[in-house]
Amino acid sequence: MFELHKISLKYRKQTVLKDVSLTIRQGESVALVGPSGAGKSTLLKHLRSLQAAKVAWCPQHAGLVPMLSAYHNMYMGGLSRHSALYNLANLLRPLAIPKAELQTLAQSLALDAELYSRVDELSGGQQQRVAIGRALYQQQAIFIGDEPVSAVDAIQADKMLSLISQRHQTIVLALHDTEQALRVCQRIIGLKDGAIAFDLPSAQVTAEQLAALYQA
Amino acid sequence: MRLLTVLTALLVSSSISLSALAETFSFTAIPDQDESRLQERFGKVAAYLEKELGVKVKYVPVKSYAAAVTAFRNNQVQLAWFGGLSGVQARELVSGSEAIAQGYEDQFFVTYLIANKRSGLSKSNDFPADIANKTFTFGAKGSTSGRLMPEFYIREHFKKSPEQVFTRVGFSDDHSRTIALVQSGAYELGAVNYKVWEDELAAGIIDPSQVSVIWQTPSYPDYQWSIRGDVDARWGAGFKAKVKQTLLNISDAEILAAFPRQSFVEATNDDYQPIKDTAIAIGLMDAE
Amino acid sequence: MNVKTRPHNNTRLKLSLWLALTGFIALLFADIDIHRASPSQELLRMGQGLMAPNFWSYREIASSAFNTLAFALQGMALASAAGFVLALLYRHPLVRGFCAFIRAIHELFWALIFIQLFGLSPLTGLLAIAIPYAGTLAKIYGELFEETEAAPRNNLLQSAGLSAFFYTTLPLAWRPLLQYTSYRFECAIRSSIVLGFVGLPTLGYHLETALGNGQYNDAAALLYVLLAIVLSLRWWLKKALLPGYLIAALIYLPPTAHFSWANIARFLSEDIIPAPLRNKTNTDYVAVFDWLAMLWQQQILPGVTSTLILSQIALLLTAILSLAWFPLNSRQFFSPLKRSLGDGFLIIARTLPEYLLAFIGLLLLGPSMLPAILALGIHNGAIIAHLLGRYSGELVLREDACTGINRYSYEILPRVYRQFLAFLLYRWEVIMRETAILGMLGIGTLGFYIDSAFEEFRFDRAMLLILCAAILNIIADILARTLRQRLHLRPSPETL
């Protein structure tokens, strides 16, 4: 699925990842953990760019269109499945089929009451769930998420993450909550100082390894 | 050359009239005086023509000499009361068009040079050489009496362009305004259509203590009615001749006084060859 | 922001000194005498006219007001649609260049050209407004699209294309786009009025007649109607009503024309061909060169020179007036009541088109550059002062800040100066464009020679001269943009 061989990545002209090698196979669920600045986001962006047309993408900052409704922001995930004319008609007035689909999706995201509100009127957590909805509605086999549930409370976060797991074959997530990472993903990659500190199945990751990751 | 059919005949003038149909015979006139006088004059002419010709007749007012020629060219009007120069220009642009009638006085028209009393100039029979280095206003840029002829005599006498002869040269746009500008002292000198001068003098608009005539040009042919060549095709054979006769027949003292002319007489394109030659001589038209 | 690239106060000072210096040098070469024996007397008569407007003498007031609005509405409808499509392609340098060219030609010049093709018809008025406005709107729309946040678009699958534009870029740019379009509508009404001066049946047509004939009571009535239309815009210009207005405008004044294909063919294939090339089988290069040299020497050079002189002085006056006037609309200096009076003056001054102000100035002061300088300075100064006043009102000063002239010079002026320069540079190209046009009133800028060429039916010369005016405007446009970038100035596009 993804194969990196001794690759270096830059962010704003500064090298953040050096000589990283990595293979992610179909069907895996992988969590990237590590302190901020370790290069998680940069790595995720790179992974996305390798398969841009096949990846459902959920960024750290929601990047919604504030003046449009949650409905339209989520619908954007499906733009490329329809003709421009169909999309334009749906922009003016929600069409029956996507309306039914997105109402179901909104229910599972606990957004059914806010579906037709402008997203700039929603709370941070709600906005993040809209961004998840948009990614889910892209209906791809691979999901890449950069802290997709950082603004959502703990109980809902688990729900969201299991929803994401159900609907995608392959998942790559950056998570700051290591417990959460261990619960959701089968494989954990620890990043520190621009390199991979460890790459293990969840069951084999020790508390010391995790603690070492966050020590200065 | 036959002009192609007109796509639509909705005319736009100062007021939009939806009733103007293709059959309406329209005419215009160069705006040589202030507009209220033009409306008065040509309103009467329109009513007279409509009665005599038996077709709907409309007067289309325009803002400039060039606009009158353009309206004639675009078939927005079929008949026009042009000055000598604008008539020549219009007939160059519309082949087949011809001059059909002129005022009796237009056969020997003259221009007055007028001066504000502060200029210290007085009337003379010879060309007044002491007008040099003063400020001077013509009428409209396309006027025969207000620009073409006076510029010709100025160039002939000084062998220089007006811009070189005078300290400042302006274009007032019409004869009424030329008189007002010289009377107020905005310009020391001006060139004006003698008919407008005498008309306004009689009407008491001019203050003779402020402004007076200092010289008059030799005579030349001026205003005329010009008509497009394709009117017979639209209003039937003989229409052009009928319009011409109707104009020559004007005897209503009120209409004549509004121009003011004592009568209308026949005119031909050839009568205006001297005007064309003059225009070419001073570089207002290109020689062919 | 990187400290190294931030412009020094020094650069701003240098620019200010340059503007002042060129303005004063231009003043040495300018003709600014008063050639009227008694301007005060004429002013008195105008004042009396304003006190006693005559709403009854013109049956046409209503019809010309409706015509004014119809031209503006139709022109803006076409311009915003065309501008929108062009903005989608605005990344393409050819499209950019095309837009710069069509907006560099003033609507009055477009009108003079279209009068030759379509007569004094509604189509002429519609196109004269729509074409240059489409160029301006394309530029602004294109820039607004480019400035939208990229994140929402980047989060989508790349194959979304045009749909992604409608779901992300357009909604993000929508509000400023509407704001600018409605500001531009106000400009279109002004343009529509000015088109009356060349014979289209708008308010300007009757204003020119009434003012020219000294019928100041009639002129006052027309002026009040003009002000009422523009100042009431915010109450009746509603999005929901626009389609209705547009249909009404199309029914009231259908965009028809009075033209023949033969005339258009002749205009394009004969009239605009340089005279020495016309009806010739073999090209006589010497004659063409002589023709160009003659035009260069007698018309282009003097026309361009006086356009530059006049516009630099007008720019200087604009700068002085806007700095002197902006406190009138500033919370920092006046109470709300006094401020509304002050801003009322500024709004009226910016509502009257500079062409109209110059026309009135010529009646009062006689023929020279002075009326044009005053007209440009007052109109543009009022625009900048209004915006700058509002901007300065948003500044928060400390509780014990000084008052009066000290507050002006120590607290406010240094804080607004950057914004002031940005506004001024934006107006520069506008002033250049208008300066060329004012020649049509008899002042020796390019417009004078262009008007003469049309009066003499020498369309070859007219086209060449219009091209020169367009090039001048494009240079000013590029220069102003470069300066703005170098000084890191970015005002709202409202001032364009």
Side-chain angles (χ1 to χ4, degrees), chain A residues 138-196:
Chain A
Q138 292 185 345
Q139 299 178 0
Q140 301 294 327
I142 310 169
F143 184 98
I144 297 181
D146 190 357
E147 303 285 3
V149 292
S150 56
V152 181
D153 66 67
I155 302 167
Q156 267 190 336
D158 277 6
K159 262 195 221 162
M160 297 294 116
L161 289 174
S162 64
L163 195 63
I164 292 169
S165 311
Q166 282 163 25
R167 298 197 178 192
H168 299 89
Q169 284 187 336
T170 312
I171 299 171
V172 186
L173 302 172
L175 293 171
H176 65 275
D177 183 341
T178 48
E179 304 265 308
Q180 207 173 41
L182 290 169
R183 275 201 305 277
V184 177
C185 296
Q186 309 150 355
R187 179 178 164 193
I188 310 288
I189 297 174
L191 286 179
K192 193 181 183 185
D193 301 333
I196 294 179

Side-chain angles (χ1 to χ4, degrees), chain C residues 236-247:
Chain C
W236 59 265
L237 190 66
K238 301 274 184 240
K239 244 188 304 177
L241 298 176
L242 276 178
Y245 289 148
L246 186 60
I247 292 168

Side-chain angles (χ1 to χ4, degrees), chain A residues 63-156:
Chain A
L64 302 170
V65 180
M67 53 290 288
L68 291 185
S69 64
Y71 169 83
H72 281 121
N73 271 286
M74 301 205 305
Y75 178 84
M76 276 180 224
L79 283 176
S80 46
R81 287 197 295 278
H82 302 286
S83 72
L85 218 57
Y86 185 92
N87 291 333
L88 211 53
N90 182 64
L91 183 61
L92 298 176
R93 195 191 160 85
L95 300 172
I97 299 171
K99 203 168 156 180
E101 288 174 357
L102 285 167
Q103 266 165 357
T104 319
L105 183 61
Q107 259 168 17
S108 53
L109 293 166
L111 278 173
D112 32 347
E114 290 84 16
L115 188 57
Y116 298 108
S117 311
R118 286 169 56 123
V119 296
D120 55 2
E121 290 165 1
L122 302 184
S123 72
Q126 287 169 330
Q127 291 189 3
Q128 195 164 44
R129 277 179 278 147
V130 173
I132 295 173
R134 183 180 62 195
L136 291 174
Y137 200 60
Q138 292 185 345
Q139 299 178 0
Q140 301 294 327
I142 310 169
F143 184 98
I144 297 181
D146 190 357
E147 303 285 3
V149 292
S150 56
V152 181
D153 66 67
I155 302 167
Q156 267 190 336

